[in-house]
């Protein structure tokens, strides 16, 4: 393992994601990066990620970051809203993390997910009806805007108790929050709007609880200390953000991969390979998260021929990790639903901070993607796959548009760029 002296500048416009992924892997298991003007390390290999994601010397507390302590990084840094956030299970470690996380696992039960399944199926059916109406004249439709984008917010809104009338507003706010194109003053205003909205929601449910996740967090009962309002808010805001963004990206990436590989689509349609396996291979090959921010070293971490210095920031580059040839073979850049390691990915994280919403994201994708192809078996890309590009979102694999024809006509199914 080596950490080169050259620094890789992470492109906020996501203009060459494949090339950047290759450069990160070639830089070694631990690479030096420039993240919108801020130096950090990033992890690009499966094995090292598993090691560091369970290392107690790497913590989520921003106060352990030397660049924050010294004022080099301030609230004007565009990515600060993903790191300097309310106290929650996403920002603490050790005993406190376990206390906050157990509240979430108690509220996000298998029973609650099972109860959501028929509602998800209903939402999917309604959105497919809307797709059909939009394409009634034979024109192409945007699968993201009309299907993949609204579905996860409907589901997470149902789970959390967010009124349907507010969901589009939240989608607009989160879109502005994540986009690199949003001016920082405007992004900080969006953060304030989200804080105010969820604070009002938590206080309303404290006064009048319902049968929803937010109320369950507020009134979770066990021998541990109840969550404070700040802790409920922190968990709630992060779960809503991650709970919809991740699933939008997973649905679209799975559809793109299958449409671009008709021979593998045939395997799924024939039943030789399951939809769930196709989704797992998508998670490995083209997962929802590109880079996850950020952990901080509380002391020097000696990795043999590289040292992560005390106070340094560490990013986990999940896209590069999913293409690790040591784990997935020399063809790791290929989408292959028959590969033996399809399930051997860590795209939802690893260790104590593994994504608590992974089961929900998988459930939504396993309902939405098969239903889409069952309703529209002739579904095709309406543009060359090279024209399906990413939004300027540095952390998520967020596609800008996804034009499709619901029924066969001239269409392009070329293999996507690795």
């Amino acid at each position: 393992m080596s950490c080169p002296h050259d620094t890789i500048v992470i492109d906020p416009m996501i203009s060459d994601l494949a090339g950047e992924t290759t450069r990160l892997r070639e830089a070694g298991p631990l690479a030096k990066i420039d993240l919108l003007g801020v130096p950090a390390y990033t992890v690009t290999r499966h094995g090292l990620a598993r090691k560091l994601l369970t290392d107690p010397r790497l913590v989520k507390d921003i106060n352990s970051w030397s660049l924050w302590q010294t004022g080099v990084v301030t609230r004007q840094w565009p990515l600060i809203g993903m790191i300097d956030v309310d106290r929650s299970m996403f920002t603490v470690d050790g005993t406190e993390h376990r206390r906050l996380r157990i509240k979430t696992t108690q509220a996000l039960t298998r029973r609650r997910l099972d109860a959501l399944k028929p509602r998800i199926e209903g939402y999917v059916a309604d959105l497919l009806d809307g797709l059909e109406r939009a394409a009634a004249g034979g024109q192409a439709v945007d699968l993201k805007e009309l299907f993949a984008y609204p579905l996860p917010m409907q589901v997470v809104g149902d789970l959390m108790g967010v009124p349907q009338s507010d969901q589009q507003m939240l989608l607009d706010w989160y879109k502005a929050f994540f986009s690199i194109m949003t001016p920082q003053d405007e992004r900080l205003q969006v953060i304030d709007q989200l804080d105010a909205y969820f604070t009002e929601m938590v206080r309303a449910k404290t006064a009048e609880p319902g049968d929803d996740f937010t109320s369950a967090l507020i009134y979770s009962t066990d021998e541990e200390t109840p969550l404070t309002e700040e802790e409920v808010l922190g968990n709630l805001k992060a779960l809503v953000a991650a709970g919809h963004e991740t699933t939008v990206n997973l649905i679209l990436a799975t559809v793109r991969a299958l449409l671009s590989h008709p021979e593998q689509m045939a395997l799924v349609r024939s039943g030789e390979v399951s939809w769930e396996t196709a989704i797992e291979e998508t998670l490995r090959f083209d997962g929802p998260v590109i880079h996850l921010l950020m952990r901080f070293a509380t002391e020097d971490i000696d990795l043999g021929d590289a040292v992560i210095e005390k106070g340094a920031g560490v990013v986990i580059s999940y896209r590069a990790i999913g293409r690790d040839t040591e784990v997935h073979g020399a063809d790791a850049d290929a989408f292959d639903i028959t590969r033996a390691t399809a399930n051997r990915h860590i795209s939802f994280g690893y260790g104590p901070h593994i994504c608590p919403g992974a089961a929900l994201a998988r459930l939504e994708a396993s309902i939405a993607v098969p239903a889409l192809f069952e309703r529209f078996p002739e579904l095709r890309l309406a543009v060359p796959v090279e024209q399906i590009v990413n939004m300027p979102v540095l952390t998520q694999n967020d596609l800008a548009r996804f034009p499709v024809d619901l029924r066969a006509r001239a269409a392009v199914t070329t293999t996507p760029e690795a």
Side-chain angles (χ1 to χ4, degrees), residues 32 39 88 99 129 156 169 191 237 285 339 395 398:
K32 291 181 179 179
S88 74
R99 182 182 77 84
D129 289 344
V156 79
M169 175 183 69
I191 292 172
K237 286 190 295 184
F285 168 76
R339 75 170 64 246
T395 51
D398 191 358

Side-chain angles (χ1 to χ4, degrees), residues 2-4 8 22-32 44-45:
S2 63
C3 181
I8 298 172
T22 299
R23 289 190 294 274
L24 287 170
R25 283 189 326 193
E26 290 176 347
L30 187 72
K32 291 181 179 179
T44 70
R45 294 291 195 278

Side-chain angles (χ1 to χ4, degrees), residues 24 55 63-64 78 84 87 91 123 129 169 177 191 202 206 212 239 241 252 257 327 385 394 403 416-417:
L24 287 170
D55 192 320
N63 293 306
S64 296
D84 182 26
R87 177 182 172 82
T91 60
Y123 291 144
D129 289 344
M169 175 183 69
F177 172 78
I191 292 172
V202 167
T206 301
D212 54 65
L239 286 166
L252 291 178
V327 175
V385 70
L394 190 146
E417 185 181 5

Side-chain angles (χ1 to χ4, degrees), residues 272-288:
E272 293 180 58
V273 179
S274 68
W275 290 103
E276 287 74 19
T277 298
I279 290 166
E280 293 303 317
E281 173 65 355
T282 302
L283 283 165
R284 178 203 70 81
F285 168 76
D286 194 20

Side-chain angles (χ1 to χ4, degrees), residues 3-36:
C3 181
H5 296 294
D6 292 341
T7 296
I8 298 172
V9 178
I10 301 299
D11 177 15
M13 302 308 295
I14 322 297
S15 58
D16 181 19
L17 184 56
E20 181 176 279
T21 300
T22 299
R23 289 190 294 274
L24 287 170
R25 283 189 326 193
E26 290 176 347
L30 187 72
K32 291 181 179 179
I33 59 173
D34 179 293
L35 203 61
L36 300 184

